[in-house]
Amino acid sequence: MSDVPTVVRTPAELAAVRGEGTVALVPTMGALHDGHVQLMKHARPLAQTVVVSIFVNPTQFAPGEDFEAYPRTLDADLERCDEAGVDVVLLPEVATMYPDGPDSGVVVEPGPLGRVLEGEQRPTHFRGVLTVVAKLFGIVRPDVAVFGEKDFQQLVLIRRMVRELSMGVDVVGCPIVREADGLAMSSRNVYLGADDRARASVLHRALTAGVDAAPRGAEHVLAAARAVLDAEGVVPDYLTLTGPDLDEAVPGQEARLLIAARIGTPRLLDNIGLVLGPTTHEGA
Ligand code: AMP
Protein backbone atom coordinates (compact mmCIF):
# COMPACT_ATOMS: atom_id res chain seq x y z
CA MET A 1 0.00 0.00 0.00
CA SER A 2 1.64 3.30 1.08
CA ASP A 3 5.16 4.08 2.31
CA VAL A 4 4.25 5.26 5.80
CA PRO A 5 1.70 3.39 7.92
CA THR A 6 -1.75 4.94 8.02
CA VAL A 7 -2.90 5.38 11.63
CA VAL A 8 -6.56 4.63 12.29
CA ARG A 9 -8.47 4.61 15.58
CA THR A 10 -11.99 3.35 14.85
CA PRO A 11 -13.61 0.42 13.00
CA ALA A 12 -15.00 2.90 10.43
CA GLU A 13 -11.55 4.40 9.77
CA LEU A 14 -10.12 0.90 9.44
CA ALA A 15 -12.86 -0.13 7.00
CA ALA A 16 -12.08 2.92 4.87
CA VAL A 17 -8.42 1.88 4.37
CA ARG A 18 -8.77 -1.89 4.56
CA GLY A 19 -9.40 -2.45 0.86
CA GLU A 20 -10.73 -5.62 -0.73
CA GLY A 21 -7.42 -7.51 -0.90
CA THR A 22 -6.01 -9.98 1.63
CA VAL A 23 -5.17 -8.70 5.10
CA ALA A 24 -2.68 -9.93 7.70
CA LEU A 25 -3.12 -8.77 11.30
CA VAL A 26 -0.40 -8.59 13.97
CA PRO A 27 -2.02 -7.85 17.35
CA THR A 28 0.28 -6.23 19.95
CA MET A 29 0.19 -4.20 23.14
CA GLY A 30 2.93 -1.86 21.87
CA ALA A 31 6.35 -1.17 23.45
CA LEU A 32 7.50 -2.89 20.30
CA HIS A 33 10.80 -4.79 20.17
CA ASP A 34 12.54 -7.07 17.68
CA GLY A 35 10.18 -9.94 18.54
CA HIS A 36 7.22 -7.87 17.34
CA VAL A 37 9.16 -6.69 14.28
CA GLN A 38 9.78 -10.31 13.32
CA LEU A 39 6.00 -10.91 13.36
CA MET A 40 5.46 -7.89 11.10
CA LYS A 41 8.15 -9.01 8.66
CA HIS A 42 6.71 -12.50 8.66
CA ALA A 43 3.26 -11.06 7.93
CA ARG A 44 4.46 -8.82 5.08
CA PRO A 45 4.51 -11.43 2.26
CA LEU A 46 1.37 -13.20 3.54
CA ALA A 47 -1.15 -10.54 2.48
CA GLN A 48 -1.59 -7.38 0.45
CA THR A 49 -2.27 -5.24 3.51
CA VAL A 50 -0.51 -5.67 6.88
CA VAL A 51 -2.33 -4.23 9.89
CA VAL A 52 -0.64 -3.94 13.30
CA SER A 53 -2.91 -3.24 16.25
CA ILE A 54 -1.50 -1.56 19.34
CA PHE A 55 -3.87 -1.82 22.28
CA VAL A 56 -3.04 -2.30 25.95
CA ASN A 57 -6.05 -4.46 26.72
CA PRO A 58 -7.38 -3.80 30.24
CA THR A 59 -9.37 -7.04 30.46
CA GLN A 60 -6.31 -9.28 30.34
CA PHE A 61 -4.80 -7.56 33.40
CA ALA A 62 -6.11 -8.50 36.84
CA PRO A 63 -6.49 -5.82 39.55
CA GLY A 64 -3.03 -5.15 40.97
CA GLU A 65 -1.23 -6.11 37.75
CA ASP A 66 0.68 -3.56 35.67
CA PHE A 67 -2.05 -2.19 33.35
CA GLU A 68 -1.38 1.46 34.25
CA ALA A 69 2.41 1.03 34.37
CA TYR A 70 2.64 -1.07 31.18
CA PRO A 71 5.25 0.64 28.95
CA ARG A 72 3.75 2.88 26.26
CA THR A 73 6.17 4.09 23.54
CA LEU A 74 3.92 5.13 20.65
CA ASP A 75 6.33 7.28 18.61
CA ALA A 76 9.04 4.62 18.59
CA ASP A 77 6.39 1.96 17.87
CA LEU A 78 5.18 3.79 14.75
CA GLU A 79 8.77 4.04 13.52
CA ARG A 80 9.25 0.29 13.95
CA CYS A 81 6.02 -0.40 12.07
CA ASP A 82 7.19 1.90 9.29
CA GLU A 83 10.59 0.15 9.04
CA ALA A 84 8.88 -3.25 8.89
CA GLY A 85 6.71 -2.20 5.94
CA VAL A 86 3.41 -2.17 7.83
CA ASP A 87 0.51 -0.51 5.98
CA VAL A 88 -1.97 0.31 8.74
CA VAL A 89 -1.62 0.79 12.50
CA LEU A 90 -4.85 0.40 14.46
CA LEU A 91 -4.85 2.34 17.75
CA PRO A 92 -8.27 1.85 19.30
CA GLU A 93 -9.47 3.53 22.49
CA VAL A 94 -10.70 1.39 25.39
CA ALA A 95 -14.22 2.80 24.81
CA THR A 96 -14.08 1.68 21.18
CA MET A 97 -13.17 -1.88 22.09
CA TYR A 98 -15.51 -2.02 25.12
CA PRO A 99 -18.46 0.30 24.41
CA ASP A 100 -20.33 -0.90 27.53
CA GLY A 101 -17.20 -0.81 29.71
CA PRO A 102 -14.50 -3.46 30.15
CA ASP A 103 -16.52 -5.43 32.70
CA SER A 104 -19.75 -5.84 30.77
CA GLY A 105 -20.62 -7.27 27.43
CA VAL A 106 -20.00 -10.47 25.52
CA VAL A 107 -16.81 -12.40 26.34
CA VAL A 108 -15.02 -15.45 24.96
CA GLU A 109 -14.46 -18.11 27.63
CA PRO A 110 -11.32 -20.16 26.97
CA GLY A 111 -12.54 -23.33 28.73
CA PRO A 112 -10.35 -25.67 30.83
CA LEU A 113 -7.14 -24.91 28.91
CA GLY A 114 -7.46 -21.31 30.06
CA ARG A 115 -7.27 -22.35 33.71
CA VAL A 116 -3.94 -24.22 33.70
CA LEU A 117 -0.33 -22.91 33.59
CA GLU A 118 -0.69 -19.11 33.17
CA GLY A 119 -4.40 -19.42 33.90
CA GLU A 120 -3.74 -20.91 37.31
CA GLN A 121 -2.00 -17.69 38.43
CA ARG A 122 -4.16 -15.42 36.28
CA PRO A 123 -7.66 -16.96 36.10
CA THR A 124 -9.24 -14.15 34.02
CA HIS A 125 -6.27 -13.50 31.74
CA PHE A 126 -7.14 -15.69 28.75
CA ARG A 127 -10.80 -14.62 28.77
CA GLY A 128 -9.47 -11.07 28.27
CA VAL A 129 -7.01 -12.16 25.58
CA LEU A 130 -9.50 -14.23 23.56
CA THR A 131 -12.19 -11.57 23.87
CA VAL A 132 -9.96 -8.79 22.57
CA VAL A 133 -8.52 -10.95 19.78
CA ALA A 134 -12.06 -11.90 18.69
CA LYS A 135 -13.00 -8.19 18.68
CA LEU A 136 -9.90 -7.30 16.65
CA PHE A 137 -10.72 -10.09 14.19
CA GLY A 138 -14.24 -8.64 13.89
CA ILE A 139 -12.94 -5.13 13.21
CA VAL A 140 -10.08 -6.05 10.86
CA ARG A 141 -11.52 -9.27 9.34
CA PRO A 142 -8.01 -10.57 8.58
CA ASP A 143 -7.25 -13.55 6.36
CA VAL A 144 -4.13 -14.28 8.42
CA ALA A 145 -3.11 -13.36 11.97
CA VAL A 146 0.47 -13.67 13.22
CA PHE A 147 1.35 -14.41 16.86
CA GLY A 148 4.58 -15.29 18.71
CA GLU A 149 5.40 -18.63 20.26
CA LYS A 150 6.68 -16.56 23.19
CA ASP A 151 3.14 -16.69 24.59
CA PHE A 152 2.70 -20.34 23.75
CA GLN A 153 -0.47 -21.02 25.73
CA GLN A 154 -2.04 -17.91 24.17
CA LEU A 155 -1.16 -19.18 20.67
CA VAL A 156 -2.67 -22.60 21.37
CA LEU A 157 -5.84 -21.02 22.78
CA ILE A 158 -6.22 -18.64 19.84
CA ARG A 159 -5.88 -21.55 17.40
CA ARG A 160 -8.60 -23.37 19.35
CA MET A 161 -10.88 -20.34 19.43
CA VAL A 162 -10.53 -19.88 15.67
CA ARG A 163 -11.23 -23.56 15.05
CA GLU A 164 -14.10 -23.95 17.51
CA LEU A 165 -15.81 -20.69 16.54
CA SER A 166 -15.12 -21.26 12.80
CA MET A 167 -13.57 -17.80 12.49
CA GLY A 168 -11.82 -18.61 9.23
CA VAL A 169 -8.55 -16.87 10.13
CA ASP A 170 -5.26 -18.56 9.32
CA VAL A 171 -3.27 -18.38 12.59
CA VAL A 172 0.49 -18.32 12.06
CA GLY A 173 3.01 -18.77 14.90
CA CYS A 174 6.56 -17.31 14.87
CA PRO A 175 9.60 -18.49 16.85
CA ILE A 176 10.79 -16.62 19.93
CA VAL A 177 13.27 -13.79 19.32
CA ARG A 178 15.93 -13.67 22.04
CA GLU A 179 18.58 -11.33 23.41
CA ALA A 180 22.23 -12.37 22.92
CA ASP A 181 22.26 -14.25 26.25
CA GLY A 182 19.09 -16.17 25.40
CA LEU A 183 16.54 -14.10 27.36
CA ALA A 184 13.27 -14.02 25.40
CA MET A 185 12.50 -10.45 24.35
CA SER A 186 9.52 -8.98 26.18
CA SER A 187 8.09 -5.51 26.71
CA ARG A 188 8.24 -6.28 30.44
CA ASN A 189 12.02 -6.87 30.46
CA VAL A 190 12.38 -3.13 31.15
CA TYR A 191 11.20 -3.92 34.70
CA LEU A 192 14.37 -6.01 35.32
CA GLY A 193 17.00 -4.34 37.49
CA ALA A 194 20.67 -4.84 36.46
CA ASP A 195 21.30 -7.85 38.73
CA ASP A 196 18.06 -9.55 37.80
CA ARG A 197 18.66 -8.87 34.11
CA ALA A 198 21.98 -10.73 34.42
CA ARG A 199 20.23 -13.67 36.16
CA ALA A 200 17.26 -13.76 33.78
CA SER A 201 19.03 -15.87 31.17
CA VAL A 202 18.64 -18.77 33.61
CA LEU A 203 15.23 -19.54 32.10
CA HIS A 204 16.66 -20.13 28.65
CA ARG A 205 19.61 -22.04 30.08
CA ALA A 206 17.20 -24.32 31.92
CA LEU A 207 15.18 -24.91 28.75
CA THR A 208 18.24 -25.73 26.65
CA ALA A 209 19.47 -28.14 29.34
CA GLY A 210 16.06 -29.80 28.97
CA VAL A 211 16.49 -30.00 25.19
CA ASP A 212 19.91 -31.59 25.61
CA ALA A 213 18.37 -34.26 27.85
CA ALA A 214 15.41 -34.92 25.53
CA PRO A 215 16.81 -38.09 23.91
CA ARG A 216 16.75 -39.69 27.40
CA GLY A 217 13.06 -39.01 27.95
CA ALA A 218 10.66 -36.74 29.82
CA GLU A 219 11.90 -37.29 33.38
CA HIS A 220 15.42 -36.39 32.35
CA VAL A 221 14.24 -33.23 30.56
CA LEU A 222 12.54 -31.96 33.70
CA ALA A 223 15.42 -32.99 35.98
CA ALA A 224 18.03 -31.29 33.79
CA ALA A 225 16.03 -28.04 33.60
CA ARG A 226 15.33 -28.08 37.32
CA ALA A 227 19.02 -28.58 38.13
CA VAL A 228 19.88 -25.34 36.29
CA LEU A 229 17.15 -23.46 38.15
CA ASP A 230 18.22 -24.92 41.51
CA ALA A 231 21.82 -23.83 40.92
CA GLU A 232 20.57 -20.22 40.58
CA GLY A 233 18.09 -20.53 43.44
CA VAL A 234 15.13 -19.95 41.12
CA VAL A 235 11.82 -21.57 42.10
CA PRO A 236 9.55 -21.49 39.03
CA ASP A 237 5.79 -20.97 39.17
CA TYR A 238 5.71 -23.92 36.81
CA LEU A 239 8.10 -26.01 34.74
CA THR A 240 6.04 -28.34 32.57
CA LEU A 241 6.51 -30.67 29.66
CA THR A 242 3.49 -30.95 27.33
CA GLY A 243 2.57 -32.04 23.84
CA PRO A 244 2.55 -29.43 21.04
CA ASP A 245 -1.08 -28.45 21.77
CA LEU A 246 -0.53 -28.40 25.55
CA ASP A 247 -1.83 -31.95 25.60
CA GLU A 248 0.08 -34.84 27.11
CA ALA A 249 3.72 -35.26 26.10
CA VAL A 250 4.26 -38.53 24.24
CA PRO A 251 7.62 -40.37 24.13
CA GLY A 252 9.20 -40.29 20.68
CA GLN A 253 7.21 -37.21 19.60
CA GLU A 254 7.45 -33.42 19.55
CA ALA A 255 6.90 -31.77 22.91
CA ARG A 256 7.04 -28.34 24.53
CA LEU A 257 8.89 -27.40 27.70
CA LEU A 258 7.30 -24.35 29.35
CA ILE A 259 8.45 -22.24 32.27
CA ALA A 260 7.27 -19.21 34.24
CA ALA A 261 9.31 -17.68 37.03
CA ARG A 262 9.55 -14.41 38.86
CA ILE A 263 13.02 -12.87 38.54
CA GLY A 264 12.93 -9.80 40.75
CA THR A 265 9.80 -7.81 39.90
CA PRO A 266 8.58 -9.21 36.58
CA ARG A 267 7.24 -12.68 35.98
CA LEU A 268 9.02 -14.07 32.93
CA LEU A 269 7.69 -16.70 30.52
CA ASP A 270 9.64 -18.89 28.16
CA ASN A 271 9.27 -22.18 26.30
CA ILE A 272 11.07 -24.36 23.80
CA GLY A 273 10.25 -27.16 21.40
CA LEU A 274 11.98 -30.53 21.58
CA VAL A 275 11.62 -34.11 20.41
CA LEU A 276 11.40 -36.64 23.23
CA GLY A 277 13.35 -39.86 23.08
CA PRO A 278 11.63 -43.14 23.82
CA THR A 279 10.66 -43.80 27.45
CA THR A 280 13.57 -44.83 29.62
CA HIS A 281 13.58 -46.28 33.09
CA GLU A 282 14.79 -44.20 35.99
CA GLY A 283 18.58 -44.37 36.11
CA ALA A 284 18.88 -45.64 32.54
P1 AMP B 1 2.53 -8.38 23.34
O1 AMP B 1 2.70 -7.01 22.77
O2 AMP B 1 3.50 -8.72 24.42
O3 AMP B 1 1.10 -8.68 23.70
O4 AMP B 1 2.89 -9.38 22.18
C1 AMP B 1 2.31 -9.26 20.90
C2 AMP B 1 2.73 -10.45 20.07
O5 AMP B 1 4.15 -10.48 19.97
C3 AMP B 1 2.30 -11.80 20.68
O6 AMP B 1 1.87 -12.65 19.63
C4 AMP B 1 3.57 -12.27 21.32
O7 AMP B 1 3.64 -13.68 21.44
C5 AMP B 1 4.60 -11.76 20.34
N1 AMP B 1 5.93 -11.67 20.95
C6 AMP B 1 6.25 -11.00 22.10
N2 AMP B 1 7.55 -11.18 22.39
C7 AMP B 1 8.06 -12.00 21.43
C8 AMP B 1 9.35 -12.56 21.17
N3 AMP B 1 10.39 -12.34 21.99
N4 AMP B 1 9.49 -13.36 20.09
C9 AMP B 1 8.44 -13.61 19.28
N5 AMP B 1 7.21 -13.10 19.45
C10 AMP B 1 7.01 -12.31 20.51
Side-chain angles (χ1 to χ4, degrees):
M1 265 175 72
S2 57
D3 289 333
V4 179
T6 306
V7 175
V8 298
R9 293 175 190 276
T10 65
E13 287 175 16
L14 191 278
V17 298
R18 185 193 179 283
E20 292 303 314
T22 53
V23 173
L25 172 65
V26 182
T28 80
M29 297 208 299
L32 302 179
H33 51 66
D34 286 352
H36 297 112
V37 170
Q38 176 204 218
L39 305 187
M40 299 174 203
K41 289 188 171 158
H42 195 89
R44 184 60 281 173
L46 300 181
Q48 283 156 299
T49 301
V50 174
V51 179
V52 169
S53 60
I54 299 178
F55 180 62
V56 185
N57 172 36
T59 67
Q60 68 191 71
F61 293 77
E65 290 185 355
D66 58 343
F67 173 66
E68 269 86 23
Y70 195 83
R72 288 161 170 90
T73 58
L74 183 58
D75 289 346
D77 290 354
L78 292 176
E79 264 174 46
R80 305 215 82 168
C81 292
D82 185 12
E83 283 158 20
V86 168
D87 300 302
V88 179
V89 179
L90 172 63
L91 295 176
E93 302 287 339
V94 172
T96 304
M97 298 304 286
Y98 298 100
D100 299 323
D103 297 327
S104 45
V106 175
V107 296
V108 180
E109 280 296 341
L113 201 53
R115 292 193 287 271
V116 296
L117 301 173
E118 283 307 287
E120 207 167 307
Q121 287 265 332
R122 310 176 74 194
T124 58
H125 174 67
F126 288 115
R127 179 202 299 155
V129 170
L130 293 191
T131 300
V132 80
V133 170
K135 284 169 180 268
L136 291 168
F137 284 0
I139 293 170
V140 177
R141 285 177 295 108
D143 300 276
V144 185
V146 184
F147 296 88
E149 289 182 350
K150 162 79 176 24
D151 301 282
F152 195 77
Q153 188 175 7
Q154 167 176 293
L155 176 60
V156 171
L157 279 166
I158 288 167
R159 284 193 204 282
R160 283 189 75 144
M161 172 180 76
V162 165
R163 192 173 67 240
E164 293 186 24
L165 301 184
S166 303
M167 288 175 152
V169 177
D170 186 8
V171 176
V172 174
C174 281
I176 298 173
V177 177
R178 300 179 178 283
E179 304 285 357
D181 67 349
L183 174 65
M185 289 192 183
S186 164
S187 307
R188 288 191 168 102
N189 288 351
V190 295
Y191 300 150
L192 286 165
D195 289 352
D196 292 327
R197 172 63 192 85
R199 280 176 78 217
S201 68
V202 65
L203 269 64
H204 183 243
R205 284 188 279 120
L207 295 180
T208 51
V211 172
D212 291 344
R216 292 184 285 139
E219 285 174 20
H220 290 270
V221 170
L222 291 168
R226 200 165 286 281
V228 174
L229 298 172
D230 287 349
E232 292 273 358
V234 172
V235 180
D237 286 346
Y238 58 79
L239 171 70
T240 311
L241 189 63
T242 73
D245 296 320
L246 297 180
D247 45 353
E248 207 170 319
V250 176
Q253 297 195 7
E254 281 185 19
R256 205 87 197 173
L257 182 59
L258 301 109
I259 187 170
R262 207 171 276 284
I263 306 285
T265 314
R267 198 161 156 278
L268 304 180
L269 306 187
D270 206 341
N271 67 85
I272 204 159
L274 48 83
V275 179
L276 283 177
T279 318
T280 53
H281 297 292
E282 225 2 52

